[in-house]
Amino acid sequence: LLLDRSDAVELPIKFIPLYAGCYHCQILLKSSCDVRVYEIECVVNTDHAEAELEFLTPAYQAVIQDIPISNMSSQNWKLEAVLEGEGFYGPPLINVGLGETALYPLMFKPIAEC
C-alpha cells in the first residue's frame, strides 16, 4: 500500500525533556471511521562532557577516586568502562539502577615516577 503525499498529514509535536533517558509516549488519533494508536520512543542523551582528574601519589602507592554516575533515566544502566593509560584500574562493568547514583572507583597506581 503506497500513500500519496496528498494523503499525508503533519502532526507537530514539541518535546522538552528535563533529563537524559528514554521517554515513551502514545498518541491516540480518532475519527468517525478510524482509530489509530502510535507509540513513540524518544532517547535523550546528554551533551558530551569532559572532565579532568589530577592524581598525586608516591610511586607504587595507589590512590582511588570515586566518580559519581547518576542515572536519571527510566531504566537501569549497565555501563562498560574502557580505561586508557598506564597505571589506571577500575571495574570493567558498572550497574546503575534507575534514579540511583553509583560510584565508579578509578584507581591510579604508578609503577614509576611520572
Side-chain angles (χ1 to χ4, degrees), residues 11 13-15 22-28 37-43 74:
L11 180 64
I13 298 173
K14 186 173 185 178
F15 175 64
C22 188
Y23 294 84
H24 299 275
C25 174
Q26 284 188 345
I27 299 173
L28 175 64
V37 177
Y38 293 90
E39 295 200 12
I40 296 175
E41 178 179 284
C42 297
V43 177
S74 60

Side-chain angles (χ1 to χ4, degrees), residues 6-90:
S6 64
D7 292 341
V9 176
E10 288 188 24
L11 180 64
I13 298 173
K14 186 173 185 178
F15 175 64
I16 303 173
L18 296 177
Y19 304 105
C22 188
Y23 294 84
H24 299 275
C25 174
Q26 284 188 345
I27 299 173
L28 175 64
L29 300 176
K30 292 196 275 186
S31 72
S32 59
C33 59
D34 194 13
V35 175
R36 295 179 188 219
V37 177
Y38 293 90
E39 295 200 12
I40 296 175
E41 178 179 284
C42 297
V43 177
V44 178
N45 296 316
T46 58
D47 292 335
H48 179 72
E50 291 188 24
E52 185 175 314
L53 298 174
E54 184 175 322
F55 291 93
L56 189 60
T57 186
Y60 303 106
Q61 290 189 14
V63 62
I64 297 175
Q65 174 68 53
D66 289 324
I67 301 172
I69 301 173
S70 296
N71 179 356
M72 304 305 284
S73 74
S74 60
Q75 59 190 17
N76 294 326
W77 287 350
K78 183 175 184 178
L79 304 175
E80 177 183 0
V82 178
L83 301 177
E84 296 179 359
E86 290 185 41
F88 289 95
Y89 306 93

